[in-house]
């Protein structure tokens, strides 16, 4: 309507500049788009949801995040190279003892003087007593001079510097810590891929449920409309027959009561159809009018045996495979906790980029004696977690097998019910024909004819409900088996019965 209003709002002089043929083509295309609803098969609906739904986009984002996390830890075992820079200033105050310096100075001077006097003894014709006297005097003078030096000295040192370095550290042995970390990250990425597959199957099941629920409500609406129109026709004929005296007022009112009941049923089904259609539109992110092209259906026979399904589901089920990965992650976590109790060995090196070019290389070992964490208990807790994951996987197998068995049995029941309903429908059509003739000939009552109409319409409705139950059972079977993506192939199998 907004586009039509835009065309109505165009000024007349605007049309004068357009040739009639050029104006006619876009108008026809516009009216065609506004006047016809879009045909939508189940396959198209599934593709729309899988590509546009918020849940699918969220699972894809989580998958990409998990894959990037796995890529991020691939090089943990390689050397770690870092560029460091240290800029600092310092001040240091200390007291230096000078006793040793004073003694050395005293001894050195005394020894030098003694040597000089020994060399002058003969030229100066000095006696030993003279030399001893000179040494004693000299020693006293030296002591007096040296004692002028204090016993200690207070020293203050100030400086600042900037040292850039390149350091390398390479793990040599970590007890399996790096290997377990990498393995857990890869398992998490694989698990995320399975989660996306599982999310897609959840989306598929939701499309199946909502898409064919609309088809079910449409069939029930058709039956309700048919029942109401028939009852209205009976009421119209009853008024004519009452005027002609063929039936009584009470018989005519029986038709009216049946018509009113049919009208209430029609209104209820119309409301259900509106609700189901809104849910489907909301799921598809599409508010345009659509015509569902894939009807309700029932396949004539099973394409696989229950035994083959039971045997092959462990290799197909994304849920079971994801739980098995949970067990594998728990096993790696046990190894991770055990690795934390083992020593680690690293090679390291550092090279200064300043003018001095200092360097250092070596090997460092580390073993934690006490850290406040009881790693033995952490390892025991991880082992219990692994056991719980394995037991939960086995329990899930039992639940999946129960779902497979029940869904397979329900499909078989629906197939057999469909055959019986076809027979009952033919019998109900024949009964309605007989009751209609009996009433026209005055041998039957309105109640008998109304009951025959209701019985036939009830069978038609039951056929649609039975087909919908078959479709849900088929979807449950395939989802439990892990092959729900194959559902679309079942809509076109040979000899498939369609409910239209």
């Amino acid at each position: 309507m907004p586009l039509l209003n835009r065309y109505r709002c165009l000024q007349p002089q605007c049309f004068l500049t357009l040739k009639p043929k050029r104006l006619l083509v876009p108008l026809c295309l516009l009216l065609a788009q506004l006047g016809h609803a879009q045909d939508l098969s189940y396959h198209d609906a599934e593709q729309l949801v899988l590509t546009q739904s918020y849940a699918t986009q969220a699972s894809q984002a989580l998958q990409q995040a998990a894959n990037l996390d796995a890529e991020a830890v691939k090089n943990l075992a390689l050397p770690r190279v870092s560029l460091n820079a240290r800029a600092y200033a310092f001040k240091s105050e200390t007291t230096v003892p000078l006793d040793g310096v004073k003694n050395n100075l005293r001894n050195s001077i005394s020894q030098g003087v003694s040597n000089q006097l020994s060399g002058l003894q003969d030229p100066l014709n000095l006696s030993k007593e003279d030399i001893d006297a000179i040494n004693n005097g000299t020693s006293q003078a030296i002591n007096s001079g040296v004692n002028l030096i204090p016993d200690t000295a207070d020293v203050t040192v100030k400086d600042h510097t900037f040292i850039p370095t390149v350091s390398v550290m390479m793990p040599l042995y970590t007890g399996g810590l790096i290997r377990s970390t990498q393995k857990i990250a890869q398992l998490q990425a694989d698990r995320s891929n399975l989660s996306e597959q599982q999310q897609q199957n959840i989306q598929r099941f939701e499309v199946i449920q909502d898409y064919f629920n609309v088809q079910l409500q449409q069939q029930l609406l058709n039956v309700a409309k048919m029942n109401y129109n028939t009852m209205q026709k009976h009421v119209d004929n009853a008024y004519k027959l009452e005027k002609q005296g063929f039936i009584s007022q009470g018989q005519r009112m029986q038709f009216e009561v049946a018509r009113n009941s049919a009208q209430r049923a029609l209104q209820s089904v119309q409301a259900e159809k509106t609700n189901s259609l809104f849910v489907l539109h909301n799921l598809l992110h599409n508010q345009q009018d659509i015509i569902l092209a894939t009807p309700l259906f029932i396949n004539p026979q099973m394409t696989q045996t229950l035994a083959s399904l039971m045997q092959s589901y462990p290799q197909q089920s994304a849920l079971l495979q994801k739980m098995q990965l949970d067990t594998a992650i728990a096993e790696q976590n046990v190894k991770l906790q055990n690795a934390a109790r083992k020593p680690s060995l690293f090679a390291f090196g550092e090279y200064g980029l300043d003018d001095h070019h200092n360097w250092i290389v070596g090997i460092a070992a580390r073993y934690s004696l006490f850290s406040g964490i009881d790693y033995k208990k952490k390892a025991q807790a991880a082992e219990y977690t692994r056991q719980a994951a394995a037991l939960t996987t086995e329990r899930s197998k039992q639940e999946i097998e129960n779902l497979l068995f029940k869904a397979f049995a329900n499909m078989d029941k629906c197939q057999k019910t469909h055959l019986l309903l076809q027979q009952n429908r033919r019998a109900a059509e024949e009964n309605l024909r007989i009751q209609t003739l009996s009433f026209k000939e005055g041998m039957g009552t309105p109640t008998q004819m109304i009951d025959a109409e209701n019985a036939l319409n009830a069978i038609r409705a039951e056929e649609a409900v039975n087909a919908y139950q078959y479709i849900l059972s088929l979807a449950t079977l395939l989802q439990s088996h892990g092959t729900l993506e194959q559902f679309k192939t079942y809509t076109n199998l040979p000899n498939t019965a369609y409910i239209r």
Side-chain angles (χ1 to χ4, degrees):
M1 293 303 296
L3 291 175
L4 290 177
N5 292 333
R6 288 173 59 187
Y7 277 101
R8 293 191 185 102
C9 293
L10 290 175
Q11 298 297 325
Q13 57 269 25
C14 296
F15 288 97
L16 296 177
T17 60
L18 298 176
K19 294 184 178 180
K21 291 184 179 180
R22 293 182 179 179
L23 178 62
L24 183 61
V25 173
L27 282 176
C28 291
L29 292 176
L30 174 65
L31 294 176
Q33 293 176 357
L34 295 175
H36 295 284
Q38 176 186 3
D39 288 341
L40 186 70
S41 67
Y42 164 76
H43 178 70
D44 296 334
E46 177 186 294
Q47 292 301 313
L48 282 175
V49 171
L50 292 182
T51 55
Q52 299 181 7
S53 71
Y54 298 126
T56 299
Q57 296 177 30
S59 64
Q60 290 175 349
L62 291 175
Q63 178 194 359
Q64 293 176 0
N67 290 335
L68 290 175
D69 285 338
E71 291 287 338
V73 297
K74 276 188 174 181
N75 298 323
L76 276 179
L78 297 181
R80 305 173 192 177
V81 181
S82 58
L83 179 64
N84 312 305
R86 293 192 299 270
Y88 58 88
F90 66 89
K91 174 184 177 182
S92 178
E93 296 182 356
T94 185
T95 299
V96 179
L98 300 178
D99 293 339
V101 176
K102 291 169 63 176
N103 292 331
N104 292 334
L105 180 61
R106 182 184 298 111
N107 293 334
S108 297
I109 296 175
S110 298
Q111 184 66 36
V113 172
S114 298
N115 292 336
Q116 291 296 327
L117 289 175
S118 297
L120 295 175
Q121 183 176 1
D122 293 335
L124 296 179
N125 195 17
L126 297 176
S127 64
K128 185 177 184 306
E129 289 78 6
D130 294 334
I131 292 181
D132 290 340
I134 294 172
N135 283 333
N136 290 333
T138 304
S139 297
Q140 292 177 2
I142 291 172
N143 288 333
S144 298
V146 171
N147 287 333
L148 295 176
I149 300 174
D151 294 335
T152 60
D154 295 330
V155 180
T156 300
V157 180
K158 294 182 179 181
D159 198 1
H160 63 276
T161 185
F162 173 78
I163 304 176
T165 62
V166 174
S167 61
V168 179
M169 179 175 290
M170 180 176 181
L172 301 177
Y173 174 76
T174 60
L177 185 66
I178 292 178
R179 184 169 59 254
S180 296
T181 301
Q182 292 173 332
K183 188 65 175 178
I184 288 176
Q186 185 58 51
L187 290 174
Q188 291 284 8
D190 296 339
R191 186 182 186 277
S192 181
N193 293 335
L194 292 174
S195 295
E196 184 185 8
Q197 297 178 19
Q198 188 180 10
Q199 181 60 44
Q200 288 181 351
N201 285 337
I202 292 174
Q203 293 286 296
R204 288 189 179 97
F205 192 90
E206 190 174 0
V207 175
I208 293 169
Q209 190 175 20
D210 294 343
Y211 185 95
F212 290 101
N213 184 40
V214 174
Q215 291 290 53
L216 171 63
Q217 299 304 324
Q218 182 62 51
Q219 292 300 316
L220 296 179
L221 182 61
N222 294 339
V223 172
K225 284 182 178 179
M226 185 183 303
N227 188 37
Y228 172 75
N229 293 334
T230 301
M231 293 305 165
Q232 183 62 50
K233 185 184 297 183
H234 288 330
V235 170
D236 296 338
N237 292 333
Y239 272 104
K240 296 178 182 178
L241 294 175
E242 182 185 7
K243 289 181 181 181
Q244 297 174 1
F246 289 103
I247 62 174
S248 65
Q249 182 181 5
Q251 290 177 317
R252 187 259 302 168
M253 294 182 66
Q254 290 180 359
F255 284 108
E256 289 185 343
V257 170
R259 188 270 317 275
N260 294 338
S261 298
Q263 186 176 10
R264 289 195 301 272
L266 176 60
Q267 293 172 350
S268 177
V269 175
Q270 284 176 335
E272 290 295 331
K273 168 68 182 308
T274 301
N275 293 337
S276 63
L277 194 57
F278 175 82
V279 172
L280 181 60
H281 277 295
N282 201 20
L283 178 64
L284 298 175
H285 296 251
N286 180 15
Q287 299 303 323
Q288 297 180 355
D289 291 337
I290 55 176
I291 298 176
L292 304 188
T294 306
L296 296 169
F297 66 91
I298 292 182
N299 302 121
Q301 59 186 3
M302 305 294 185
T303 58
Q304 299 184 65
T305 63
L306 180 60
S308 64
L309 293 171
M310 289 289 189
Q311 184 178 3
S312 59
Y313 82 88
Q315 293 78 33
Q316 301 292 337
S317 174
L319 172 61
L320 186 59
Q321 293 176 18
K322 188 170 73 171
M323 299 189 71
Q324 291 171 344
L325 285 180
D326 288 338
T327 303
I329 291 173
E331 291 176 353
Q332 291 299 322
N333 191 37
V334 173
K335 297 180 180 179
L336 195 67
Q337 298 302 327
N338 288 327
R341 303 164 56 187
K342 299 178 181 180
S344 55
L345 188 65
F346 298 89
F348 67 91
E350 188 175 44
Y351 181 78
L353 301 179
D354 56 356
D355 296 336
H356 302 290
H357 300 290
N358 297 325
W359 57 270
I360 183 173
V361 293
I363 296 178
R366 183 178 60 189
Y367 181 74
S368 179
L369 297 176
F370 178 77
S371 64
I373 299 176
D374 193 334
Y375 288 105
K376 182 177 180 181
K377 292 183 178 179
K378 292 279 288 184
Q380 291 175 349
E383 175 60 26
Y384 281 121
T385 302
R386 185 201 64 78
Q387 294 178 12
L391 293 173
T392 303
T393 302
E394 294 302 318
R395 175 55 184 163
S396 298
K397 288 182 179 180
Q398 293 178 333
E399 294 177 353
I400 291 174
E401 290 172 358
N402 290 337
L403 288 174
L404 288 173
F405 184 86
K406 292 179 180 178
F408 193 88
N410 287 335
M411 289 174 60
D412 183 64
K413 181 190 71 174
C414 291
Q415 289 172 336
K416 293 178 180 178
T417 300
H418 178 70
L419 296 177
L420 294 176
L421 287 174
Q422 285 183 318
Q423 298 175 5
N424 293 343
R425 181 173 182 174
R426 289 190 291 268
E429 290 174 347
E430 180 63 19
N431 179 52
L432 176 61
R433 188 185 67 83
I434 294 173
Q435 295 300 330
T436 302
L437 291 176
S438 297
F439 178 76
K440 289 181 179 180
E441 295 176 0
M443 300 177 60
T445 63
T447 301
Q448 292 173 334
M449 189 170 63
I450 292 172
D451 289 342
E453 288 276 2
N454 290 336
L456 179 58
N457 289 330
I459 291 175
R460 291 169 177 164
E462 191 173 354
E463 285 179 336
V465 172
N466 183 66
Y468 183 66
Q469 291 177 349
Y470 172 82
I471 290 172
L472 291 185
S473 298
L474 174 62
T476 302
L477 180 76
L478 295 177
Q479 186 181 37
S480 303
H481 186 255
T483 53
L484 190 56
E485 69 277 0
Q486 298 179 5
F487 176 86
K488 54 183 175 290
T489 62
Y490 286 81
T491 62
N492 295 315
L493 289 180
N495 301 322
T496 297
Y498 297 102
I499 310 299
R500 293 186 171 92

